């Protein structure tokens, strides 16, 4: 604490680093920041090394300002760090500013708006770095746009993928594009995503097609345009594009029921190209849900039933439900089919989920068809937009961990770090060995189970009352037949059982199989 008041900025920075490490290992807040200490830290911030600046900024991020005015004053001193050449300093400065913006609240709307404009350029600049730094920056930006989407709402173009971006950078950019898409920029985004869907990387193409569907789920007014793009992609007849399109169209149907059923005919034309379980299950769900609008729904389901036993469990479950839906909507033409499916599900299948669902449907249909209609054909909840899928509390924790591994994993530190103070009394005793992994502890204990001093030994061989601390003396005359473990009894009485082998078959010996074997007992070999 005394070193923080030193006149040398490097000493201040290293003092902060030491206190931060002590706080991490002990679990106690030893970094007490008073008004005087705060001024010392802010003064040292401009003069110490870049890594010293990171330590000071991280400490400031944990400090809670007394009021909005103090928060604004600290932000003014920290803002120049946003132009630093080191990306770690930039991200730490962003973390401090985001934390203090919460303290400023809604009363300072103009100040918040100005800070929002200042945060965008440094984040965009990070995307001109090496791919690895880009990826870390994108993972952090992913959190930032969930907390404050307006920071980068006008910068969506910088997240469009370049031809030479690595796949992991492209995937992360797609996630951010979906989060930033709005009715103002949807047309540009759809053009871009349509272009990505013609790339050669299959995973990237799938993610791009999925992104189009997620845009439709997110933006109701743009859903029709998104469906138009998906239909264009289906017409390309590229197998994996068609399959991914079917999957996302199912989600669009669930988001906007009874609005875009006119495209079902196009989907049915591509039924033969579906070979992936998820795509098949999605198509079967569509057929079952809209069976009354598809003239040959039962025939389409019949094509899947031919290979029912070989299908993936997800496909089998959807087939069972879709067939029951068809039966409830059109009982006359589908009675044989539903009987066949229920037989397959309940008698031929080993899958307990499928069997149980089959029995439930069978009981419902046989006892109360009206109840079956309520259960199977009842209104389903409309799926929600999952763009901002992190829980608010978790998001706040991760925002406080920007520029650390937590912001890359999108998990709180305790989910992947075992700290010493989290292991019983390690913090009190200062015993660093408490931080050793559980597996290492168990190995160490296994190796040391036997007491070297010979006291309190363990009966490893489970000899039943044998005291291993009093070894039996073996007399020289006992020779090889001596009972080395002192268990008592005459060892010569034990003879191993011979392993018998067939030496003559019944055909050759007149109807009897002849078996023979050899064993060793009392230094002689005997025939069994």
């Amino acid at each position: 604490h005394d070193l923080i008041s030193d006149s040398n900025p490097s000493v201040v920075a290293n003092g902060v680093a030491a206190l931060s490490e002590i706080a991490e290992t002990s679990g106690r807040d030893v970094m007490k920041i008073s008004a005087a200490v705060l001024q010392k830290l802010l003064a040292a911030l401009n003069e110490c090394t870049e890594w010293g600046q990171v330590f000071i900024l991280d400490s400031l991020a944990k400090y809670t300002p007394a009021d909005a005015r103090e928060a604004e004053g600290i932000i003014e001193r920290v803002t120049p760090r946003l132009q630093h050449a080191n990306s770690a300093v930039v991200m730490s400065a962003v973390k401090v500013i985001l934390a203090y913006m919460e303290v400023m609240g809604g009363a300072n709307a103009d100040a918040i708006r100005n800070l929002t404009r200042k945060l965008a350029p440094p984040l965009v600049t990070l995307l001109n770095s090496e791919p690895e730094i880009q990826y870390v920056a994108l993972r952090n930006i992913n959190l930032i746009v969930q907390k404050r989407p307006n920071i980068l709402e006008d910068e969506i173009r910088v997240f469009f993928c370049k031809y030479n971006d690595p796949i992991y950078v492209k995937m992360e950019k797609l996630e951010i594009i979906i989060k930033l898409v709005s009715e103002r920029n949807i047309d540009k985004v759809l053009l871009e995503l349509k272009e990505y869907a013609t790339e050669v990387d299959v995973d990237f193409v799938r993610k791009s097609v999925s992104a189009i569907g997620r845009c439709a789920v997110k933006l109701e007014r743009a859903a029709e345009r998104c469906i138009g793009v998906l239909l264009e992609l289906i017409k390309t007849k590229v197998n994996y594009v068609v399959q991914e399109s079917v999957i996302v169209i199912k989600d669009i149907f669930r988001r906007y029921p009874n609005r875009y059923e006119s495209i079902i005919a196009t989907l049915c034309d591509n039924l033969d190209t579906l070979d992936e379980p998820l795509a098949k299950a999605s198509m079967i769900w569509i057929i079952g849900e809209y069976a009354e609008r598809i003239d040959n729904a039962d025939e389409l389901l019949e094509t899947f039933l031919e290979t029912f036993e070989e299908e993936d469990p997800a496909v089998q479950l959807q087939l069972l439900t879709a067939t029951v839906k068809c039966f409830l909507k059109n009982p006359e033409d589908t009675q044989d089919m539903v009987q066949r499916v229920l037989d397959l599900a309940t008698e031929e299948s080993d899958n307990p989920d499928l069997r149980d669902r089959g029995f439930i449907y069978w009981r419902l249909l046989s006892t109360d068809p009206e109840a079956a209609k309520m259960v199977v054909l009842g209104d389903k909840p409309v799926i929600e937009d999952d763009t901002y899928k992190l829980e608010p509390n978790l998001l706040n924790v991760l925002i406080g961990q920007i520029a650390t591994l937590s912001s890359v994993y999108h998990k709180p530190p305790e989910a992947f770090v075992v700290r010493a103070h989290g292991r019983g009394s390690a913090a009190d005793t200062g015993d660093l060995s408490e931080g050793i992994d559980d597996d290492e502890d168990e190995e160490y204990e296994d190796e040391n189970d036997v007491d070297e001093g010979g006291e309190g030994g363990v009966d490893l061989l489970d000899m039943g009352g044998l005291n291993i601390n009093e070894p039996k003396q073996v007399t020289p005359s006992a020779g090889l037949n001596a009972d080395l473990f002192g268990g008592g009894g005459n060892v010569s009485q034990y003879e191993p059982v011979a392993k018998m082998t067939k030496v003559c078959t019944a055909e050759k010996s007149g109807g009897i199989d002849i078996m023979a074997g050899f064993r060793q007992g009392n230094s002689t070999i005997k025939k069994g």
Side-chain angles (χ1 to χ4, degrees):
H1 278 287
D2 293 340
L3 292 176
I4 291 178
S5 302
D6 197 277
S7 58
N8 188 330
S10 295
V11 174
V12 175
N14 284 295
V16 171
L19 285 170
S20 299
E21 192 166 338
I22 292 168
E24 287 290 319
T25 53
S26 68
R28 300 195 307 272
D29 182 18
V30 296
M31 185 73 192
K32 309 284 186 188
I33 299 182
S34 62
V37 170
L38 179 64
Q39 293 307 316
K40 287 282 184 184
L41 294 180
L42 292 172
L45 189 60
N46 294 324
E47 300 176 34
C48 61
T49 63
E50 51 195 11
W51 297 111
Q53 292 179 37
V54 170
F55 283 120
I56 292 174
L57 288 167
D58 285 349
S59 295
L60 290 174
K62 295 171 186 172
Y63 171 67
T64 305
D67 52 31
R69 191 171 183 176
E70 186 185 12
E72 200 169 343
I74 297 172
I75 287 174
E76 284 180 16
R77 303 281 291 274
V78 169
T79 302
R81 301 301 101 206
L82 294 174
Q83 275 77 49
H84 202 282
N86 188 322
S87 51
V89 176
V90 174
M91 290 310 304
S92 294
V94 169
K95 174 164 64 176
V96 173
I97 293 170
L98 285 172
Y100 289 4
M101 283 168 77
E102 291 295 310
V103 178
M104 292 167 69
N108 299 287
D110 292 337
I112 296 284
R113 204 175 300 114
N114 290 333
L115 285 173
T116 299
R117 282 202 296 267
K118 288 179 183 176
L119 283 174
L123 292 174
V124 169
T125 304
L126 290 175
L127 299 181
N128 295 322
S129 311
E130 296 81 2
E132 294 80 8
I133 293 178
Q134 277 189 61
Y135 177 73
V136 173
L138 287 165
R139 291 294 282 175
N140 282 274
I141 289 169
N142 195 324
L143 295 173
I144 293 167
V145 297
Q146 289 188 57
K147 183 70 177 175
R148 294 189 176 272
N150 51 345
I151 289 177
L152 291 161
E153 63 184 355
D154 297 323
E155 305 288 347
I156 196 167
R157 276 187 174 278
V158 302
F159 299 103
F160 288 172
C161 301
K162 299 173 184 172
Y163 75 95
N164 57 349
D165 279 339
I167 183 65
Y168 55 88
V169 170
K170 286 181 174 178
M171 294 293 202
E172 209 52 46
K173 282 184 173 180
L174 276 179
E175 282 294 325
I176 295 170
I177 287 172
I178 294 166
K179 288 178 172 60
L180 293 177
V181 72
S182 64
E183 290 174 8
R184 289 186 300 154
N185 55 32
I186 183 64
D187 291 324
K188 286 186 290 187
V189 170
L190 283 178
L191 280 173
E192 194 73 13
L193 293 175
K194 187 179 174 183
E195 189 71 26
Y196 299 160
T198 60
E199 296 270 351
V200 292
D201 190 301
V202 176
D203 290 334
F204 182 54
V205 170
R206 284 180 177 278
K207 186 85 171 177
S208 303
V209 175
S210 175
I212 296 170
R214 287 173 66 185
C215 289
V217 169
K218 181 180 179 182
L219 303 171
E220 185 173 351
R221 292 185 184 178
E224 196 163 345
R225 278 172 280 174
C226 295
I227 288 174
V229 173
L230 289 170
L231 290 176
E232 288 178 40
L233 293 174
I234 288 173
K235 288 174 185 173
T236 63
K237 300 291 184 184
V238 178
N239 185 269
Y240 50 87
V241 173
V242 172
Q243 306 212 58
E244 195 65 35
S245 300
V246 170
I247 294 167
V248 298
I249 286 172
K250 181 207 71 171
D251 289 337
I252 294 171
F253 282 172
R254 289 190 60 195
R255 182 78 171 92
Y256 310 110
N258 303 314
R259 280 175 59 176
Y260 300 107
E261 286 71 34
S262 56
I263 66 171
I264 292 175
T266 308
L267 299 180
C268 292
D269 292 340
N270 293 276
L271 210 59
D272 297 337
T273 62
L274 306 179
D275 54 21
E276 292 178 8
L278 200 53
K280 281 184 178 180
S282 299
M283 191 66 223
I284 291 165
W285 180 88
I286 292 170
I287 294 170
E289 191 69 14
Y290 298 101
E292 70 278 11
R293 304 186 189 192
I294 304 172
D295 296 335
N296 58 339
D298 52 338
E299 294 173 17
L300 296 175
L301 289 176
E302 282 281 3
T303 59
F304 289 106
L305 288 176
E306 292 168 7
T307 56
F308 182 87
E309 293 177 354
E310 290 83 42
E311 295 290 1
D312 187 85
V315 178
Q316 291 178 334
L317 286 165
Q318 282 294 352
L319 262 174
L320 174 60
T321 302
T323 308
V324 172
K325 284 179 182 176
C326 264
F327 172 72
L328 291 170
K329 292 174 181 180
N330 184 14
E332 293 80 13
D333 300 334
T334 54
Q335 189 159 358
D336 292 340
M337 183 171 70
V338 78
Q339 185 68 47
R340 194 167 121 229
V341 172
L342 289 171
D343 285 338
L344 286 169
T346 55
E347 296 177 11
E348 305 293 332
S349 174
D350 295 329
N351 184 341
D353 290 337
L354 184 65
R355 232 180 15 246
D356 287 352
R357 191 182 290 190
F359 280 125
I360 289 169
Y361 285 157
W362 203 321
R363 184 68 57 87
L364 276 171
L365 293 171
S366 59
T367 57
D368 193 347
E370 288 305 314
K373 281 187 179 182
M374 290 174 63
V375 171
V376 182
L377 301 179
D379 293 335
K380 284 122 189 121
V382 175
I383 63 168
E384 298 295 328
D385 169 28
D386 66 345
T387 306
Y388 304 106
K389 57 187 176 185
L390 284 177
E391 290 292 325
N393 290 338
L394 175 59
L395 181 58
N396 288 333
V397 171
L398 295 178
I399 289 290
Q401 296 290 335
I402 280 176
T404 67
L405 277 177
S406 283
S407 64
V408 178
Y409 293 152
H410 288 188
K411 293 179 181 178
E414 56 271 17
F416 59 90
V417 175
V418 179
R419 301 192 193 285
H421 65 262
R423 304 284 304 277
S425 60
D428 300 327
T429 61
D431 184 1
L432 296 179
S433 66
E434 289 292 332
I436 299 174
D437 232 348
D438 289 340
D439 294 341
E440 294 177 17
D441 283 345
E442 288 167 11
E443 288 175 14
Y444 181 78
E445 288 164 8
D446 290 344
E447 291 167 6
N448 293 276
D449 274 343
V450 180
D451 190 349
E452 291 178 6
E455 294 182 4
V458 180
D459 183 6
L460 296 176
L461 297 168
D462 194 19
M463 297 299 288
L466 174 66
N467 187 346
I468 64 170
N469 296 322
E470 299 176 4
K472 302 291 183 186
Q473 297 296 322
V474 180
T475 57
S477 60
L480 292 173
N481 297 327
D483 182 1
L484 296 179
F485 295 110
N490 187 353
V491 75
S492 62
Q493 292 176 355
Y494 170 75
E495 291 185 359
V497 179
K499 184 179 179 181
M500 307 301 283
T501 309
K502 187 185 290 187
V503 294
C504 188
T505 61
E507 289 81 5
K508 293 182 180 178
S509 60
I512 300 174
D513 287 334
I514 299 175
M515 314 287 285
F518 297 92
R519 68 185 185 280
Q520 183 174 352
N522 292 336
S523 305
T524 59
I525 295 177
K526 299 178 181 179
K527 186 161 69 173

